[in-house]
């Protein structure tokens, strides 16, 4: 996508969902969009992330995947490349962490994921890998979240697992307000 189309898509989403970034003016956003951010934004759009601006309670301003479900083009991946390498049979096509890193974005943290759920209902049919603390990861585990029964759940699984309904959401830091 070209720069103007990317910015217009983001602007339209920003206009459509003011509850995700209360009190933030578009001028505060557009000045923070560098060429590097545009490249990552393009990938987020192309893979179905529906990125929008999310303002966290501490003033962090993030560009976050806000698609209703974990993006279809980012599912059926294990957590990271270490897990991918250890898997001997039925390997997935790749890993969530490596794919995110390759495109200049990061997996949401638990804090980011829980805040996203305060401005909408996401992952009611899917789940999303989230950034996993090293203490869990070194034991072979990884974390994921979803929303069921009106509640946000945090779960664990082997990092080498992958499912057709589990993907990942990403973010980019745009600074603080």
């Amino acid at each position: 996508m070209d720069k103007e189309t990317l910015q217009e898509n983001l602007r339209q989403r920003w206009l459509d969902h003011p509850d995700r970034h209360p009190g933030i003016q578009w001028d505060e956003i557009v000045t923070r969009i560098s060429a590097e951010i545009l490249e990552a934004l393009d990938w987020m759009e192309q893979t179905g992330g529906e990125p929008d601006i999310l303002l966290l309670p501490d003033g962090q301003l993030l560009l976050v995947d806000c698609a209703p479900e974990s993006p279809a083009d980012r599912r059926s991946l294990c957590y990271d490349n270490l897990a991918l390498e250890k898997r001997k049979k039925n390997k997935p096509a790749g890993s969530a962490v490596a794919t995110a890193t390759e495109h200049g974005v990061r997996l949401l943290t638990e804090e980011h994921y829980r805040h996203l759920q305060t401005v909408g209902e996401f992952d009611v049919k899917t789940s999303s890998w989230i950034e996993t603390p090293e203490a869990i990861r070194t034991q072979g585990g990884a974390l994921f979240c979803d929303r069921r029964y009106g509640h946000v759940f945090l779960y664990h699984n082997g990092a080498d697992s992958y499912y057709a309904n589990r993907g990942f959401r990403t973010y980019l830091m745009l600074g603080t307000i």
Side-chain angles (χ1 to χ4, degrees):
M1 257 184 233
D2 63 63
K3 176 183 175 179
E4 290 77 26
T5 302
L6 284 168
Q7 285 188 347
E8 184 51 36
N9 286 351
L10 183 59
R11 182 179 174 279
Q12 190 57 56
R13 228 173 258 123
W14 175 82
L15 288 168
D16 291 345
H17 302 282
D19 52 318
R20 295 176 181 169
H21 38 263
I24 303 298
Q25 301 301 311
W26 178 248
D27 292 344
E28 294 177 74
I29 304 304
V30 75
T31 60
R32 297 168 189 253
I33 300 176
S34 65
E36 183 179 87
I37 288 173
L38 278 174
E39 190 173 322
L41 175 62
D42 186 36
W43 178 80
M44 292 168 83
E45 284 283 2
Q46 296 299 324
T47 57
E50 299 180 25
D52 195 5
I53 306 303
L54 185 65
L55 178 64
L56 299 182
D58 65 0
Q60 290 182 70
L61 198 57
L62 307 178
L63 182 61
V64 175
D65 290 312
C66 293
E69 300 298 336
S70 194
D73 289 349
R74 301 189 217 153
R75 296 184 198 164
S76 298
L77 301 171
C78 63
Y79 181 73
D80 61 13
N81 276 353
L82 179 61
L84 182 63
E85 291 168 14
K86 287 186 175 186
R87 190 168 183 103
K88 300 300 178 206
K89 290 184 173 182
N90 303 316
K91 285 189 176 199
S95 77
V97 172
T99 303
T101 301
E102 177 184 343
H103 296 285
V105 294
R106 296 184 63 180
L107 271 61
L108 293 182
T109 66
E110 180 182 357
E111 174 191 5
H112 298 152
Y113 191 89
R114 289 188 181 280
H115 184 71
L116 177 65
Q117 293 284 359
T118 68
V119 297
E121 292 188 2
F122 302 91
D123 289 333
V124 297
K125 297 176 188 168
T126 58
S127 61
S128 294
W129 288 116
I130 62 167
E131 187 175 289
T132 299
E134 193 61 28
I136 294 170
R137 188 60 202 95
T138 57
Q139 297 180 67
L143 301 177
F144 67 97
C145 294
D146 64 23
R147 181 185 196 102
R148 302 291 192 272
Y149 313 108
H151 186 80
V152 178
F153 289 93
L154 169 70
Y155 305 92
H156 63 89
N157 214 184
D160 65 340
S161 67
Y162 65 97
Y163 299 94
N165 70 340
R166 182 174 308 148
F168 65 98
R169 294 175 180 277
T170 61
Y171 79 95
L172 279 170
M173 175 66 83
L174 295 178
T176 55
I177 300 294

